[in-house]
């Protein structure tokens, strides 16, 4: 009798273990996480076409499309390999393929990039879209269905994300490090008026020392002048000094306002 109960207990134990393992397998994502270190082995040297999702943890649209991507990964597991790449972790890979908008979906096959698609996935036409992309010569096929972004704007994005590797690559590609960006003033009494910025002035204003050093090493000039948000013709250093002066003045005015408000409400 004891032996019988022992066998039954072991049977139930193995059954429970099997159920747990099955549950863990179900929970496991069909999408492979890839970094700079294993990108070559898991993507470029893969034996099947690879569908890559370039994303970031802070990206809302990336999170929305993730369930669709995982669903497709399960559905087409026999035909394609599905991979996710966090651009904040795999910075070298993101810079190499100039990934500046996310989510971006890429198709690789036999070590070559066949196409990029920015935005959402079309679940209904997914297989047809992939087959059409793979049917083209990768050296001739258009790499993106999104409007191509000028290198100067890519440089601006790389500066704001502190992506020094991408900055260096863009500089290597011939981008003008003294390019003048014309944009409206975002706030203050000059709000809406057009002013100018340079890559160096933006990096200085954001206190990005590594980026400033990279730009200066590449030939960004401290003497290059532009019209700032106060309507003055300045260079990058003068603009930083003026911005600091105006910021301190603005903060002092706000502190004065708070003191007056609190004093008024004491009565």
């Amino acid at each position: 009798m004891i032996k019988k109960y022992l066998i039954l207990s072991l049977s139930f134990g193995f059954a429970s273990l099997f159920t747990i393992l099955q549950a863990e397998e179900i929970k496991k994502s069909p999408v492979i996480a890839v970094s700079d270190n294993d990108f070559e082995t898991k993507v470029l040297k893969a034996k099947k076409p690879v569908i890559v999702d370039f994303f970031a943890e802070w990206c809302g649209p990336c999170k929305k499309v993730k369930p669709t991507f995982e669903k497709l990964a399960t559905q087409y597991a026999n035909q394609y390999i599905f991979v996710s790449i966090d651009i904040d972790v795999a910075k070298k890979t993101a810079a190499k393929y100039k990934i500046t908008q996310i989510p971006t979906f890429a198709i690789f096959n036999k070590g070559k990039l066949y196409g990029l698609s920015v935005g959402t996935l079309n679940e209904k036409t997914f297989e047809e879209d992939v087959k059409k992309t793979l049917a083209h010569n990768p050296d001739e096929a258009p790499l993106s269905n999104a409007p191509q972004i000028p290198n100067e704007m890519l440089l601006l994005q790389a500066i704001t994300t502190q992506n020094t590797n991408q900055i260096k690559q863009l500089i290597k590609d011939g981008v003008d490090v003294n390019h003048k960006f014309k944009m409206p003033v975002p706030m203050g009494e000059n709000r809406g008026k057009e002013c100018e910025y340079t890559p160096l002035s933006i990096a200085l204003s954001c206190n990005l020392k590594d980026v400033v050093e990279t730009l200066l090493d590449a030939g960004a000039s401290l003497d290059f002048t532009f019209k700032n948000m106060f309507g003055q013709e300045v260079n990058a250093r003068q603009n930083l000094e003026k911005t600091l002066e105006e910021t301190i003045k603005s903060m002092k005015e706000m502190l004065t306002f708070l003191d007056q408000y609190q004093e008024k409400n004491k009565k």
Side-chain angles (χ1 to χ4, degrees), residues 9 12 26 37 55 64 94 99 105 117 125 138 147 167 185 205 224 231:
S9 297
F12 280 120
I26 291 169
N37 296 331
F55 77 103
K64 286 184 180 180
I99 306 300
F105 301 97
S117 175
T125 62
I167 292 169
V185 178
S205 298
F224 186 77

Side-chain angles (χ1 to χ4, degrees), residues 42 51 59 101-102 108 120 149 174 195 198 211 245-246 256:
K42 291 186 177 179
I51 316 298
C59 171
Q101 295 175 288
I102 50 176
F108 288 85
T120 58
I149 304 172
C195 68
T198 64
V211 175
E245 178 188 319
E246 291 295 326
T256 301

Side-chain angles (χ1 to χ4, degrees), residues 13-240:
F14 282 121
S16 299
L17 178 61
F18 182 71
T19 303
I20 291 169
L21 289 173
Q22 275 189 317
E24 287 300 315
E25 190 64 30
I26 291 169
K27 288 180 186 177
K28 187 178 178 183
S29 172
V31 179
I32 303 167
V34 170
S35 66
D36 285 333
N37 296 331
D38 54 5
F39 178 79
E40 183 176 356
T41 55
K42 291 186 177 179
V43 177
L44 299 182
K45 292 184 178 180
K47 294 182 179 179
K48 293 191 287 188
V50 183
I51 316 298
V52 179
D53 172 18
F54 286 97
F55 77 103
E57 292 293 342
W58 46 263
C59 171
C62 298
K63 291 177 181 177
K64 286 184 180 180
V65 79
K66 184 179 178 182
T68 302
F69 191 71
E70 292 195 339
K71 182 179 177 182
L72 290 168
T74 302
Q75 188 176 346
Y76 294 96
N78 294 329
Q79 295 166 252
Y80 311 113
I81 296 169
F82 288 75
V83 159
S84 65
I85 296 179
D86 186 334
I87 63 168
D88 289 332
V89 176
K91 292 183 178 179
K92 289 181 180 178
T93 302
K96 180 180 178 180
Y97 295 103
K98 297 183 179 180
I99 306 300
T100 57
Q101 295 175 288
I102 50 176
T104 287
F105 301 97
I107 301 173
F108 288 85
N109 192 30
K110 297 178 181 178
K112 288 192 173 185
L113 173 62
Y114 275 72
L116 292 173
S117 175
V118 181
T120 58
L121 279 171
N122 190 327
E123 191 176 340
K124 292 181 179 179
T125 62
F126 170 78
E127 188 172 15
E128 182 184 346
D129 292 341
V130 172
K131 286 181 177 179
K132 280 182 179 179
T133 303
L134 291 173
H136 290 92
N137 184 328
D139 298 321
E140 296 175 358
L143 288 183
S144 176
N145 63 5
Q148 294 300 301
I149 304 172
N151 278 349
E152 287 75 20
M153 292 307 295
L154 291 177
L155 178 62
L156 176 59
Q157 291 181 13
I159 289 169
T160 55
T161 57
Q162 302 181 52
N163 192 335
T164 53
N165 288 325
Q166 187 180 12
I167 292 169
K168 289 175 182 177
Q169 183 59 51
L170 287 165
I171 291 168
K172 188 177 177 181
D173 292 342
V175 70
D176 180 10
V177 291
N178 289 310
H179 178 78
K180 289 184 182 180
F181 297 98
K182 292 186 177 182
M183 293 179 282
V185 178
M187 61 183 69
E189 56 187 41
N190 293 309
R191 185 172 180 268
K193 291 182 180 178
E194 188 176 75
C195 68
E196 296 172 336
Y197 301 90
T198 64
L200 188 57
S201 72
I202 293 168
L204 283 168
S205 298
C206 296
N207 197 28
L208 307 176
K209 295 182 181 69
D210 290 345
V211 175
V212 170
E213 185 176 12
T214 300
L215 292 170
L216 287 171
D217 288 346
S221 174
L222 281 166
D223 298 323
F224 186 77
T225 60
F226 56 94
K227 188 172 287 187
N228 70 2
M229 64 189 297
F230 310 107
Q232 301 167 322
E233 193 73 24
V234 295
N235 60 35
R237 185 186 182 94
Q238 291 167 342
N239 182 63
L240 180 64

